[in-house]
Every structure is written in structure tokens, then in C-alpha cells.
Amino acid sequence: MACIGIVAEFDPFHRGHAHLLAQARQITPEAPVVVALSGHYTQRGGPAALSPWARAEMALRCGADLVAELPLPWAISSAEGFAWGGVSVLTALGADTLVFGSESGDVPALKRAAECLRGEDCQALLRQELAGGIPYAAARQRAVAALLGEEGASVLAGPNDLLGVAYLDAIGRLGADMTAVAVPRVGPRHDATESREGYTSASALRRLLLAGEMEQALDALPEPARPVLRREWEAGLTPASLEHCQRAVLYRLRIMRPEDFAALPDCTEGLENRLYRAAQQTTSLEEFYALAKTKRYAHARIRRLALWAFLGMTAADRPERLPYVRVLALNDRGREVLHTAKKTCPVPILTKPAAARRLDETEQRLFALEQRGADLWRLCLPGLEHSAAGSGWTTGPVVL
């Protein structure tokens, strides 16, 4: 069965995401669309504004057929880890085409950059550039430019293209039989505060929700997704934000020692000492990020490390392989995908939380970690009246 895959956060779902789904459906109209969706937390280093089930329902109402969870350790990783986890989920479910947003829309150029980055020559140049103390992103671009020229390295400048390179690299590393299709991005850049051509970025939508501008946020969503956002808003289940539990995060950071920070992923070259000093000095999360950030260490990296710390996770909690696939939402076409995937999927497919009790010890450990993260996500909601634990063990897939 032909099957189209998308890796996404949909935090929250907006018109640009609906455009991506619509473009994906046009590739092979009869093919189902499967989404690997970040769960309770996202790559930017914070909680998703809405629960994964609410965001999965929005996607289903706007063109997706099956939504599965991108496991937590990869959802809050760098672009390389995020892409590897997402492609792993889609491959396990039988997707043979990967569709993603792109500034350039140039898959061959993105593939050349991905292949270049995997090569030994590029890795040697990258280490050489990093030794000069420049940021990783700049070092990577210089290394690729030295081998492919400035034009060849230019695809590393846009955030969507950069993620596209990571997807293509993941396809190569996993040996996945998957075709990539880049859809030119529409609307404002991903972190823009202003709307453009009727499109509003997810960053701007989150700001509107935090400011209480519910009606304005609703106007920026595709019509089928609006009832879901209104329902979650009226129930007090959005927007989740670390601002709502800042003292808890600072407490966790304050009690950590340098060796605790060193156990976090991508915490190298003495960064653990900088994080420790920042945690002792700070009086707010934003101040912590600012104190720990340097030209070498990007803001997003610091935010992710703080989130890993808050969740009580270490680099050892990231498995070497995908342990299972958890279904978040599906329709009739999605059921057909599951029916086929269950014959070929190399890992267990969970359609009910109770099925996790039949997993092996390693798989159960990750599932329990996910549910602890879900419990802490509830502390990020505006009111403590919704903070009771246990939803991850009792919530099944959305069915439309």
C-alpha cells in the first residue's frame, strides 16, 4: 500500500500545516497520510501548547488519516535526533514517501548536503571549524561550503531546509526505502510574530493563547480545527507553558550538580559547569537561558537541556532503536494502514495504553517515562485544577 508520511509538531495546528497536508494528499490522492507527531513536548525545549490527542485530532480533521506519537527522547532532540525518530516511526508504519516543508523546495540540493555531511571529509572539516570556537551551525555551513561551494551550503540556512537535510540523512542512515518530496513553505517564517497572506506562525499562535487572545487565535486556524481548540480552551487544557511552573523547573535546575548536567544529551566540552553556575545565579528561566548561552551554544540547545533536566531524563534514556509505535488518532483509512502495518511492523503497535504492560522491560521503561512526562505536562497548564496525574495511562486514540 502506498503511504505518505509527515513528521510534525503541529504546535498548534495552523493553516500552513493544512496546506502541507493538502499538498501531500495531491501526490497520490488514494494514498493515506500518516503523521509522526511530537507528544507532550517539542523540539524548541518546552511543552506543546495542547495535548498530543488534541493536536492529532486537529490533523485528522484537516486531512491526516493516522497519527502516531514521536517518542519523547527524539521529540526533544536536535534536528538529527528529531528526524531520525520521525522517519523511524513512519518507516515502521509503512510510509514510502516523506513530505516536508522547505524554503528551497530543492530535494536534490538537500540530498547533496545530507550526503556531504555524512562524509568523512566533511566531518573532519567540521571538527576543524569547531576547534576554532565558532557555533555548530556556522561550523557546519563552512564545512559544507568548503566541499560544495556557497550555493551548495545555502540550503543549511533555512530552518525547514535544515530539517529537510536531517530527514534525508535519517533516510540514508536507516536504509529506508522512502522518496522525499519538499513542499515550498507558505506564509511567515516559523518564528515570525506577524501574519502574512492569511497565515500565522505557530510561535505567534502560542503567544496569542498565552495572552488570552483566544478569538484571534481561532481566526488563524483552518475551520475544521477550530472546535478542538475552543473545546480545549474552555476546559482549561491550553496553553501549556513552562511559565506556569517556572519555580518547579528552577528547583530542579538548582539541585543539580555538574555531574548531573553532564549526563544530559549533547552536554559536552565543559557546558555542564556553565549550566551549573547559571542555575545557581538565575532568578528566572529566561535568565537561565541567557546566562548559559554563548556564541558556541545556541539558545534552543540550552532550552532543550533545561527541559531534559526538568523531566528527569538523561542521555541514557534515549534508546538505540524505536521501541514501539503508539497510535494517537485514526479514521477508517488509518485503520487500513494499521491492518497492513501489523503484518510488517518490526516493533509493537499500541492502540490502547493497557497494551504497554505486555512490552518488554526496556520498552516499558520508555513508556513509563512518557507517562511521567505527560504528568509533568499537566503542571504546565494554566490552572492546577487540571494537574492530576495518570492521563497517559487512560487516554486512548481519537477515532473519527
Side-chain angles (χ1 to χ4, degrees), residues 169-187:
D169 178 60
I171 290 172
R173 284 188 290 141
L174 289 164
D177 185 13
M178 185 177 282
T179 301
V181 177
V183 174
R185 182 184 174 93
V186 295

Side-chain angles (χ1 to χ4, degrees), residues 24-259:
R25 297 213 75 96
Q26 289 181 19
I27 295 169
T28 308
E30 67 276 11
V33 175
V34 177
V35 177
L37 182 73
S38 297
H40 288 87
Y41 301 90
T42 65
Q43 198 199 8
R44 62 188 164 84
L50 291 94
S51 78
W53 296 281
R55 286 157 35 238
E57 182 180 348
M58 288 178 170
L60 222 60
R61 290 178 179 274
C62 293
D65 297 303
L66 175 67
V67 183
E69 188 172 42
L70 172 56
L72 180 60
W74 295 292
I76 58 175
S77 291
S78 64
E80 292 77 12
F82 179 87
W84 189 93
V87 172
S88 295
V89 171
L90 295 178
T91 301
L93 290 171
D96 54 12
T97 301
L98 174 67
V99 178
F100 57 89
S102 164
E103 286 88 2
S104 70
D106 190 343
V107 170
L110 297 172
K111 187 174 291 188
R112 285 192 294 272
E115 291 170 349
C116 179
L117 283 166
R118 280 202 302 272
E120 283 299 322
D121 290 345
C122 188
Q123 289 301 308
L125 285 169
L126 178 59
R127 289 190 292 270
Q128 182 179 323
E129 293 289 351
L130 287 172
I134 66 172
Y136 179 82
R140 177 179 53 204
Q141 186 135 358
R142 286 190 188 182
V144 173
L147 296 170
L148 298 183
E150 294 295 336
E151 185 176 352
S154 64
V155 294
L156 299 175
N160 292 106
D161 275 347
L162 185 58
L163 198 50
V165 169
Y167 289 141
L168 291 164
D169 178 60
I171 290 172
R173 284 188 290 141
L174 289 164
D177 185 13
M178 185 177 282
T179 301
V181 177
V183 174
R185 182 184 174 93
V186 295
R189 65 182 188 277
H190 79 287
D191 59 349
T193 58
E194 74 284 352
S195 297
R196 195 178 80 185
E197 299 171 358
Y199 293 92
T200 302
S201 72
S203 299
L205 278 170
R206 291 192 298 272
R207 293 189 189 98
L208 288 172
L209 291 173
L210 284 169
E213 301 290 345
M214 171 60 176
E215 295 302 323
Q216 193 173 343
L218 279 172
D219 288 342
L221 267 60
E223 194 280 330
R226 293 175 190 174
V228 181
L229 178 58
R230 185 178 292 280
R231 181 193 70 210
E232 298 297 294
W233 176 271
E234 292 175 350
L237 298 177
T238 188
S241 171
L242 287 183
E243 293 178 14
H244 296 137
C245 60
Q246 183 168 218
R247 287 177 184 245
V249 183
L250 292 177
Y251 161 77
R252 176 63 183 165
L253 295 172
R254 188 69 58 86
I255 65 171
M256 291 178 69
R257 308 299 299 173
E259 56 269 28

Side-chain angles (χ1 to χ4, degrees), residues 290-359:
L291 288 170
K293 181 186 179 299
T294 66
K295 206 164 65 171
R296 179 70 174 271
Y297 305 120
H299 196 279
R301 182 177 178 183
I302 301 300
R303 289 180 63 95
R304 284 194 295 270
L305 288 171
L307 180 60
W308 278 77
F310 172 56
L311 297 175
M313 295 170 56
T314 69
D317 290 314
R318 186 160 52 198
E320 293 183 1
R321 63 171 181 85
L322 181 71
Y324 55 78
V325 172
R326 184 180 189 183
V327 177
L328 295 174
L330 73 165
N331 58 21
D332 288 341
R333 284 159 65 97
R335 284 193 186 92
E336 294 176 12
V337 175
L338 279 188
H339 180 73
T340 301
K342 285 179 178 178
K343 301 174 185 176
T344 59
C345 187
V347 297
I349 298 176
L350 308 181
T351 54
K352 296 181 180 179
R357 306 190 191 283
R358 297 194 294 271
L359 299 174

